[in-house]
Amino acid sequence: MTPYARPFTLDDADRLRRSIGDSVRAMRRFESTPEGQVEVLGFLVRDGACSIATLARLRRVRHQSMRTTVADLEQGGLVTRAPDPSDARGVLVSVTDRGIAMIDALRLRRSTRILEAAERALEPAERAVLAQTAGVMDKLTAALRDEADRADAATD
């Protein structure tokens, strides 16, 4: 039986979940910027300007906590606030050029770290398998997001 013919089991799913979590935590150990701030900047770079309420919902934190995070990012020159044209009382948070540069540099550092670790720790055949993993993980992530979106819609 080839490795690709083997069924994916609950034990495999648990091992994958642990491995992903361990990898993410290992990468975060190299960073000095709080992960919550990095995640907010990532959302803004990917999705564009958002309200504080939207950012809080995306991160699953209280509105007050997100206001503090946004204030810290604003103080660092990484985001700006502007009036929300669709809500007279609201504001939209946008990432600045400095924030974009920080996220770009962080992503490059993380990707470089992964590449260097793979070159040190993995055999060529393992690196070839790893090269295919991102596409598979994208499909898995899309399925998980779809399920979460359906659950969110059911509770609204």
PDB file of all heavy atoms in Angstrom, residues 89-122:
ATOM      1  N   ARG A  89     -20.915  57.163  13.498  1.00  0.00           N
ATOM      2  CA  ARG A  89     -20.263  57.027  14.808  1.00  0.00           C
ATOM      3  C   ARG A  89     -19.036  56.113  14.747  1.00  0.00           C
ATOM      4  O   ARG A  89     -18.261  56.052  15.696  1.00  0.00           O
ATOM      5  CB  ARG A  89     -21.246  56.468  15.836  1.00  0.00           C
ATOM      6  CG  ARG A  89     -22.429  57.391  16.094  1.00  0.00           C
ATOM      7  CD  ARG A  89     -23.401  56.784  17.063  1.00  0.00           C
ATOM      8  NE  ARG A  89     -23.872  55.497  16.554  1.00  0.00           N
ATOM      9  CZ  ARG A  89     -24.271  54.478  17.298  1.00  0.00           C
ATOM     10  NH1 ARG A  89     -24.268  54.563  18.597  1.00  0.00           N
ATOM     11  NH2 ARG A  89     -24.682  53.360  16.749  1.00  0.00           N
ATOM     12  N   GLY A  90     -18.860  55.401  13.657  1.00  0.00           N
ATOM     13  CA  GLY A  90     -17.801  54.402  13.584  1.00  0.00           C
ATOM     14  C   GLY A  90     -16.519  54.903  12.949  1.00  0.00           C
ATOM     15  O   GLY A  90     -16.470  55.983  12.362  1.00  0.00           O
ATOM     16  N   VAL A  91     -15.486  54.099  13.106  1.00  0.00           N
ATOM     17  CA  VAL A  91     -14.201  54.372  12.459  1.00  0.00           C
ATOM     18  C   VAL A  91     -13.751  53.124  11.716  1.00  0.00           C
ATOM     19  O   VAL A  91     -14.122  51.999  12.065  1.00  0.00           O
ATOM     20  CB  VAL A  91     -13.104  54.795  13.467  1.00  0.00           C
ATOM     21  CG1 VAL A  91     -13.459  56.078  14.158  1.00  0.00           C
ATOM     22  CG2 VAL A  91     -12.808  53.707  14.463  1.00  0.00           C
ATOM     23  N   LEU A  92     -12.966  53.351  10.698  1.00  0.00           N
ATOM     24  CA  LEU A  92     -12.324  52.258   9.972  1.00  0.00           C
ATOM     25  C   LEU A  92     -10.834  52.293  10.280  1.00  0.00           C
ATOM     26  O   LEU A  92     -10.226  53.362  10.289  1.00  0.00           O
ATOM     27  CB  LEU A  92     -12.551  52.391   8.468  1.00  0.00           C
ATOM     28  CG  LEU A  92     -13.969  52.146   7.980  1.00  0.00           C
ATOM     29  CD1 LEU A  92     -14.055  52.381   6.475  1.00  0.00           C
ATOM     30  CD2 LEU A  92     -14.437  50.746   8.328  1.00  0.00           C
ATOM     31  N   VAL A  93     -10.286  51.138  10.509  1.00  0.00           N
ATOM     32  CA  VAL A  93      -8.859  51.001  10.787  1.00  0.00           C
ATOM     33  C   VAL A  93      -8.195  50.535   9.500  1.00  0.00           C
ATOM     34  O   VAL A  93      -8.655  49.577   8.872  1.00  0.00           O
ATOM     35  CB  VAL A  93      -8.614  49.984  11.925  1.00  0.00           C
ATOM     36  CG1 VAL A  93      -7.127  49.839  12.204  1.00  0.00           C
ATOM     37  CG2 VAL A  93      -9.387  50.380  13.176  1.00  0.00           C
ATOM     38  N   SER A  94      -7.119  51.206   9.108  1.00  0.00           N
ATOM     39  CA  SER A  94      -6.367  50.859   7.899  1.00  0.00           C
ATOM     40  C   SER A  94      -4.905  50.674   8.258  1.00  0.00           C
ATOM     41  O   SER A  94      -4.377  51.347   9.144  1.00  0.00           O
ATOM     42  CB  SER A  94      -6.466  51.974   6.852  1.00  0.00           C
ATOM     43  OG  SER A  94      -7.798  52.173   6.464  1.00  0.00           O
ATOM     44  N   VAL A  95      -4.252  49.803   7.550  1.00  0.00           N
ATOM     45  CA  VAL A  95      -2.823  49.587   7.756  1.00  0.00           C
ATOM     46  C   VAL A  95      -2.044  50.668   7.002  1.00  0.00           C
ATOM     47  O   VAL A  95      -2.436  51.084   5.910  1.00  0.00           O
ATOM     48  CB  VAL A  95      -2.421  48.158   7.322  1.00  0.00           C
ATOM     49  CG1 VAL A  95      -2.579  47.953   5.830  1.00  0.00           C
ATOM     50  CG2 VAL A  95      -1.013  47.807   7.761  1.00  0.00           C
ATOM     51  N   THR A  96      -0.966  51.135   7.606  1.00  0.00           N
ATOM     52  CA  THR A  96      -0.109  52.138   6.969  1.00  0.00           C
ATOM     53  C   THR A  96       0.965  51.448   6.137  1.00  0.00           C
ATOM     54  O   THR A  96       1.143  50.226   6.219  1.00  0.00           O
ATOM     55  CB  THR A  96       0.575  53.019   8.031  1.00  0.00           C
ATOM     56  OG1 THR A  96       1.440  52.176   8.816  1.00  0.00           O
ATOM     57  CG2 THR A  96      -0.434  53.723   8.920  1.00  0.00           C
ATOM     58  N   ASP A  97       1.700  52.242   5.366  1.00  0.00           N
ATOM     59  CA  ASP A  97       2.828  51.682   4.607  1.00  0.00           C
ATOM     60  C   ASP A  97       3.825  51.022   5.557  1.00  0.00           C
ATOM     61  O   ASP A  97       4.394  49.973   5.233  1.00  0.00           O
ATOM     62  CB  ASP A  97       3.522  52.769   3.783  1.00  0.00           C
ATOM     63  CG  ASP A  97       2.679  53.229   2.605  1.00  0.00           C
ATOM     64  OD1 ASP A  97       1.718  52.523   2.231  1.00  0.00           O
ATOM     65  OD2 ASP A  97       2.976  54.317   2.055  1.00  0.00           O
ATOM     66  N   ARG A  98       4.028  51.643   6.716  1.00  0.00           N
ATOM     67  CA  ARG A  98       4.944  51.064   7.705  1.00  0.00           C
ATOM     68  C   ARG A  98       4.426  49.708   8.197  1.00  0.00           C
ATOM     69  O   ARG A  98       5.196  48.767   8.376  1.00  0.00           O
ATOM     70  CB  ARG A  98       5.110  52.040   8.865  1.00  0.00           C
ATOM     71  CG  ARG A  98       6.072  51.564   9.920  1.00  0.00           C
ATOM     72  CD  ARG A  98       6.276  52.615  10.984  1.00  0.00           C
ATOM     73  NE  ARG A  98       7.176  52.107  12.000  1.00  0.00           N
ATOM     74  CZ  ARG A  98       7.509  52.754  13.064  1.00  0.00           C
ATOM     75  NH1 ARG A  98       7.028  53.957  13.285  1.00  0.00           N
ATOM     76  NH2 ARG A  98       8.319  52.219  13.935  1.00  0.00           N
ATOM     77  N   GLY A  99       3.112  49.599   8.413  1.00  0.00           N
ATOM     78  CA  GLY A  99       2.519  48.335   8.838  1.00  0.00           C
ATOM     79  C   GLY A  99       2.642  47.263   7.770  1.00  0.00           C
ATOM     80  O   GLY A  99       2.942  46.105   8.067  1.00  0.00           O
ATOM     81  N   ILE A 100       2.426  47.656   6.517  1.00  0.00           N
ATOM     82  CA  ILE A 100       2.577  46.709   5.404  1.00  0.00           C
ATOM     83  C   ILE A 100       4.016  46.219   5.323  1.00  0.00           C
ATOM     84  O   ILE A 100       4.270  45.023   5.168  1.00  0.00           O
ATOM     85  CB  ILE A 100       2.135  47.357   4.075  1.00  0.00           C
ATOM     86  CG1 ILE A 100       0.626  47.605   4.087  1.00  0.00           C
ATOM     87  CG2 ILE A 100       2.536  46.486   2.880  1.00  0.00           C
ATOM     88  CD1 ILE A 100       0.138  48.488   2.943  1.00  0.00           C
ATOM     89  N   ALA A 101       4.960  47.141   5.442  1.00  0.00           N
ATOM     90  CA  ALA A 101       6.378  46.763   5.383  1.00  0.00           C
ATOM     91  C   ALA A 101       6.724  45.801   6.525  1.00  0.00           C
ATOM     92  O   ALA A 101       7.484  44.840   6.322  1.00  0.00           O
ATOM     93  CB  ALA A 101       7.260  48.010   5.441  1.00  0.00           C
ATOM     94  N   MET A 102       6.174  46.056   7.709  1.00  0.00           N
ATOM     95  CA  MET A 102       6.453  45.181   8.841  1.00  0.00           C
ATOM     96  C   MET A 102       5.914  43.774   8.587  1.00  0.00           C
ATOM     97  O   MET A 102       6.611  42.783   8.824  1.00  0.00           O
ATOM     98  CB  MET A 102       5.828  45.740  10.111  1.00  0.00           C
ATOM     99  CG  MET A 102       6.125  44.897  11.339  1.00  0.00           C
ATOM    100  SD  MET A 102       5.209  45.517  12.740  1.00  0.00           S
ATOM    101  CE  MET A 102       4.666  43.983  13.417  1.00  0.00           C
ATOM    102  N   ILE A 103       4.686  43.676   8.086  1.00  0.00           N
ATOM    103  CA  ILE A 103       4.087  42.366   7.810  1.00  0.00           C
ATOM    104  C   ILE A 103       4.853  41.655   6.700  1.00  0.00           C
ATOM    105  O   ILE A 103       5.129  40.458   6.787  1.00  0.00           O
ATOM    106  CB  ILE A 103       2.591  42.508   7.464  1.00  0.00           C
ATOM    107  CG1 ILE A 103       1.804  42.828   8.728  1.00  0.00           C
ATOM    108  CG2 ILE A 103       2.035  41.244   6.814  1.00  0.00           C
ATOM    109  CD1 ILE A 103       1.845  41.754   9.805  1.00  0.00           C
ATOM    110  N   ASP A 104       5.208  42.383   5.651  1.00  0.00           N
ATOM    111  CA  ASP A 104       5.984  41.777   4.560  1.00  0.00           C
ATOM    112  C   ASP A 104       7.308  41.224   5.075  1.00  0.00           C
ATOM    113  O   ASP A 104       7.706  40.105   4.730  1.00  0.00           O
ATOM    114  CB  ASP A 104       6.235  42.785   3.444  1.00  0.00           C
ATOM    115  CG  ASP A 104       4.998  43.105   2.628  1.00  0.00           C
ATOM    116  OD1 ASP A 104       3.983  42.380   2.752  1.00  0.00           O
ATOM    117  OD2 ASP A 104       5.036  44.102   1.869  1.00  0.00           O
ATOM    118  N   ALA A 105       7.999  42.000   5.915  1.00  0.00           N
ATOM    119  CA  ALA A 105       9.283  41.544   6.467  1.00  0.00           C
ATOM    120  C   ALA A 105       9.088  40.340   7.379  1.00  0.00           C
ATOM    121  O   ALA A 105       9.873  39.385   7.330  1.00  0.00           O
ATOM    122  CB  ALA A 105       9.958  42.690   7.226  1.00  0.00           C
ATOM    123  N   LEU A 106       8.048  40.365   8.181  1.00  0.00           N
ATOM    124  CA  LEU A 106       7.757  39.247   9.080  1.00  0.00           C
ATOM    125  C   LEU A 106       7.463  37.978   8.286  1.00  0.00           C
ATOM    126  O   LEU A 106       7.988  36.905   8.604  1.00  0.00           O
ATOM    127  CB  LEU A 106       6.566  39.596   9.980  1.00  0.00           C
ATOM    128  CG  LEU A 106       6.114  38.475  10.881  1.00  0.00           C
ATOM    129  CD1 LEU A 106       6.718  38.658  12.264  1.00  0.00           C
ATOM    130  CD2 LEU A 106       4.614  38.453  10.974  1.00  0.00           C
ATOM    131  N   ARG A 107       6.644  38.099   7.258  1.00  0.00           N
ATOM    132  CA  ARG A 107       6.318  36.929   6.428  1.00  0.00           C
ATOM    133  C   ARG A 107       7.565  36.369   5.751  1.00  0.00           C
ATOM    134  O   ARG A 107       7.748  35.151   5.680  1.00  0.00           O
ATOM    135  CB  ARG A 107       5.253  37.303   5.399  1.00  0.00           C
ATOM    136  CG  ARG A 107       3.891  37.516   6.029  1.00  0.00           C
ATOM    137  CD  ARG A 107       2.874  38.012   5.028  1.00  0.00           C
ATOM    138  NE  ARG A 107       1.557  38.112   5.640  1.00  0.00           N
ATOM    139  CZ  ARG A 107       0.528  38.741   5.093  1.00  0.00           C
ATOM    140  NH1 ARG A 107       0.659  39.323   3.906  1.00  0.00           N
ATOM    141  NH2 ARG A 107      -0.636  38.788   5.718  1.00  0.00           N
ATOM    142  N   LEU A 108       8.433  37.265   5.265  1.00  0.00           N
ATOM    143  CA  LEU A 108       9.670  36.809   4.634  1.00  0.00           C
ATOM    144  C   LEU A 108      10.567  36.094   5.650  1.00  0.00           C
ATOM    145  O   LEU A 108      11.125  35.030   5.358  1.00  0.00           O
ATOM    146  CB  LEU A 108      10.411  37.980   3.983  1.00  0.00           C
ATOM    147  CG  LEU A 108      11.736  37.632   3.317  1.00  0.00           C
ATOM    148  CD1 LEU A 108      11.543  36.616   2.200  1.00  0.00           C
ATOM    149  CD2 LEU A 108      12.407  38.891   2.796  1.00  0.00           C
ATOM    150  N   ARG A 109      10.690  36.663   6.851  1.00  0.00           N
ATOM    151  CA  ARG A 109      11.501  36.009   7.898  1.00  0.00           C
ATOM    152  C   ARG A 109      10.949  34.631   8.236  1.00  0.00           C
ATOM    153  O   ARG A 109      11.702  33.663   8.364  1.00  0.00           O
ATOM    154  CB  ARG A 109      11.536  36.859   9.169  1.00  0.00           C
ATOM    155  CG  ARG A 109      12.495  38.002   9.164  1.00  0.00           C
ATOM    156  CD  ARG A 109      12.724  38.596  10.553  1.00  0.00           C
ATOM    157  NE  ARG A 109      11.525  38.889  11.308  1.00  0.00           N
ATOM    158  CZ  ARG A 109      10.852  40.043  11.250  1.00  0.00           C
ATOM    159  NH1 ARG A 109      11.262  41.005  10.437  1.00  0.00           N
ATOM    160  NH2 ARG A 109       9.781  40.237  11.994  1.00  0.00           N
ATOM    161  N   ARG A 110       9.641  34.542   8.385  1.00  0.00           N
ATOM    162  CA  ARG A 110       9.026  33.258   8.730  1.00  0.00           C
ATOM    163  C   ARG A 110       9.215  32.241   7.610  1.00  0.00           C
ATOM    164  O   ARG A 110       9.539  31.082   7.865  1.00  0.00           O
ATOM    165  CB  ARG A 110       7.544  33.437   9.043  1.00  0.00           C
ATOM    166  CG  ARG A 110       7.307  34.119  10.378  1.00  0.00           C
ATOM    167  CD  ARG A 110       5.830  34.301  10.651  1.00  0.00           C
ATOM    168  NE  ARG A 110       5.618  34.844  11.995  1.00  0.00           N
ATOM    169  CZ  ARG A 110       4.426  35.075  12.510  1.00  0.00           C
ATOM    170  NH1 ARG A 110       3.319  34.816  11.815  1.00  0.00           N
ATOM    171  NH2 ARG A 110       4.308  35.565  13.736  1.00  0.00           N
ATOM    172  N   SER A 111       9.000  32.665   6.373  1.00  0.00           N
ATOM    173  CA  SER A 111       9.171  31.749   5.237  1.00  0.00           C
ATOM    174  C   SER A 111      10.619  31.295   5.113  1.00  0.00           C
ATOM    175  O   SER A 111      10.894  30.115   4.853  1.00  0.00           O
ATOM    176  CB  SER A 111       8.717  32.424   3.938  1.00  0.00           C
ATOM    177  OG  SER A 111       7.338  32.702   3.999  1.00  0.00           O
ATOM    178  N   THR A 112      11.545  32.219   5.306  1.00  0.00           N
ATOM    179  CA  THR A 112      12.969  31.876   5.252  1.00  0.00           C
ATOM    180  C   THR A 112      13.318  30.882   6.346  1.00  0.00           C
ATOM    181  O   THR A 112      14.044  29.910   6.106  1.00  0.00           O
ATOM    182  CB  THR A 112      13.833  33.153   5.376  1.00  0.00           C
ATOM    183  OG1 THR A 112      13.505  34.030   4.281  1.00  0.00           O
ATOM    184  CG2 THR A 112      15.310  32.832   5.357  1.00  0.00           C
ATOM    185  N   ARG A 113      12.786  31.105   7.535  1.00  0.00           N
ATOM    186  CA  ARG A 113      13.046  30.201   8.659  1.00  0.00           C
ATOM    187  C   ARG A 113      12.524  28.790   8.354  1.00  0.00           C
ATOM    188  O   ARG A 113      13.179  27.793   8.636  1.00  0.00           O
ATOM    189  CB  ARG A 113      12.402  30.768   9.918  1.00  0.00           C
ATOM    190  CG  ARG A 113      12.949  30.175  11.174  1.00  0.00           C
ATOM    191  CD  ARG A 113      12.610  31.013  12.395  1.00  0.00           C
ATOM    192  NE  ARG A 113      13.598  32.064  12.555  1.00  0.00           N
ATOM    193  CZ  ARG A 113      13.318  33.360  12.646  1.00  0.00           C
ATOM    194  NH1 ARG A 113      12.088  33.784  12.605  1.00  0.00           N
ATOM    195  NH2 ARG A 113      14.280  34.236  12.803  1.00  0.00           N
ATOM    196  N   ILE A 114      11.340  28.703   7.762  1.00  0.00           N
ATOM    197  CA  ILE A 114      10.780  27.396   7.396  1.00  0.00           C
ATOM    198  C   ILE A 114      11.654  26.721   6.346  1.00  0.00           C
ATOM    199  O   ILE A 114      11.976  25.522   6.470  1.00  0.00           O
ATOM    200  CB  ILE A 114       9.326  27.541   6.892  1.00  0.00           C
ATOM    201  CG1 ILE A 114       8.408  27.943   8.050  1.00  0.00           C
ATOM    202  CG2 ILE A 114       8.840  26.251   6.238  1.00  0.00           C
ATOM    203  CD1 ILE A 114       7.021  28.388   7.615  1.00  0.00           C
ATOM    204  N   LEU A 115      12.049  27.467   5.321  1.00  0.00           N
ATOM    205  CA  LEU A 115      12.898  26.899   4.268  1.00  0.00           C
ATOM    206  C   LEU A 115      14.204  26.389   4.854  1.00  0.00           C
ATOM    207  O   LEU A 115      14.638  25.263   4.564  1.00  0.00           O
ATOM    208  CB  LEU A 115      13.173  27.944   3.182  1.00  0.00           C
ATOM    209  CG  LEU A 115      14.144  27.507   2.081  1.00  0.00           C
ATOM    210  CD1 LEU A 115      13.592  26.326   1.309  1.00  0.00           C
ATOM    211  CD2 LEU A 115      14.455  28.672   1.166  1.00  0.00           C
ATOM    212  N   GLU A 116      14.852  27.192   5.677  1.00  0.00           N
ATOM    213  CA  GLU A 116      16.141  26.787   6.246  1.00  0.00           C
ATOM    214  C   GLU A 116      15.988  25.571   7.153  1.00  0.00           C
ATOM    215  O   GLU A 116      16.831  24.671   7.131  1.00  0.00           O
ATOM    216  CB  GLU A 116      16.765  27.964   7.001  1.00  0.00           C
ATOM    217  CG  GLU A 116      17.243  29.062   6.056  1.00  0.00           C
ATOM    218  CD  GLU A 116      17.671  30.332   6.767  1.00  0.00           C
ATOM    219  OE1 GLU A 116      17.457  30.459   8.002  1.00  0.00           O
ATOM    220  OE2 GLU A 116      18.220  31.216   6.076  1.00  0.00           O
ATOM    221  N   ALA A 117      14.927  25.509   7.930  1.00  0.00           N
ATOM    222  CA  ALA A 117      14.697  24.348   8.796  1.00  0.00           C
ATOM    223  C   ALA A 117      14.446  23.100   7.952  1.00  0.00           C
ATOM    224  O   ALA A 117      14.957  22.019   8.265  1.00  0.00           O
ATOM    225  CB  ALA A 117      13.523  24.599   9.741  1.00  0.00           C
ATOM    226  N   ALA A 118      13.680  23.250   6.883  1.00  0.00           N
ATOM    227  CA  ALA A 118      13.410  22.105   6.002  1.00  0.00           C
ATOM    228  C   ALA A 118      14.692  21.600   5.354  1.00  0.00           C
ATOM    229  O   ALA A 118      14.920  20.389   5.266  1.00  0.00           O
ATOM    230  CB  ALA A 118      12.386  22.494   4.930  1.00  0.00           C
ATOM    231  N   GLU A 119      15.542  22.522   4.937  1.00  0.00           N
ATOM    232  CA  GLU A 119      16.806  22.121   4.317  1.00  0.00           C
ATOM    233  C   GLU A 119      17.716  21.415   5.312  1.00  0.00           C
ATOM    234  O   GLU A 119      18.444  20.497   4.950  1.00  0.00           O
ATOM    235  CB  GLU A 119      17.505  23.336   3.704  1.00  0.00           C
ATOM    236  CG  GLU A 119      16.797  23.839   2.461  1.00  0.00           C
ATOM    237  CD  GLU A 119      17.343  25.140   1.926  1.00  0.00           C
ATOM    238  OE1 GLU A 119      18.050  25.875   2.672  1.00  0.00           O
ATOM    239  OE2 GLU A 119      17.057  25.452   0.751  1.00  0.00           O
ATOM    240  N   ARG A 120      17.662  21.828   6.579  1.00  0.00           N
ATOM    241  CA  ARG A 120      18.495  21.189   7.610  1.00  0.00           C
ATOM    242  C   ARG A 120      17.941  19.835   8.053  1.00  0.00           C
ATOM    243  O   ARG A 120      18.690  18.897   8.278  1.00  0.00           O
ATOM    244  CB  ARG A 120      18.589  22.076   8.855  1.00  0.00           C
ATOM    245  CG  ARG A 120      19.582  23.172   8.822  1.00  0.00           C
ATOM    246  CD  ARG A 120      19.780  23.811  10.201  1.00  0.00           C
ATOM    247  NE  ARG A 120      18.546  24.070  10.936  1.00  0.00           N
ATOM    248  CZ  ARG A 120      17.799  25.172  10.819  1.00  0.00           C
ATOM    249  NH1 ARG A 120      18.168  26.118   9.975  1.00  0.00           N
ATOM    250  NH2 ARG A 120      16.704  25.325  11.531  1.00  0.00           N
ATOM    251  N   ALA A 121      16.626  19.758   8.217  1.00  0.00           N
ATOM    252  CA  ALA A 121      16.039  18.626   8.916  1.00  0.00           C
ATOM    253  C   ALA A 121      15.438  17.547   8.014  1.00  0.00           C
ATOM    254  O   ALA A 121      15.244  16.416   8.471  1.00  0.00           O
ATOM    255  CB  ALA A 121      14.950  19.123   9.874  1.00  0.00           C
ATOM    256  N   LEU A 122      15.142  17.874   6.769  1.00  0.00           N
ATOM    257  CA  LEU A 122      14.403  16.934   5.921  1.00  0.00           C
ATOM    258  C   LEU A 122      15.255  16.412   4.768  1.00  0.00           C
ATOM    259  O   LEU A 122      16.090  17.120   4.221  1.00  0.00           O
ATOM    260  CB  LEU A 122      13.151  17.615   5.354  1.00  0.00           C
ATOM    261  CG  LEU A 122      12.166  18.203   6.370  1.00  0.00           C
ATOM    262  CD1 LEU A 122      11.019  18.881   5.645  1.00  0.00           C
ATOM    263  CD2 LEU A 122      11.676  17.149   7.336  1.00  0.00           C
TER     264      LEU A 122
END
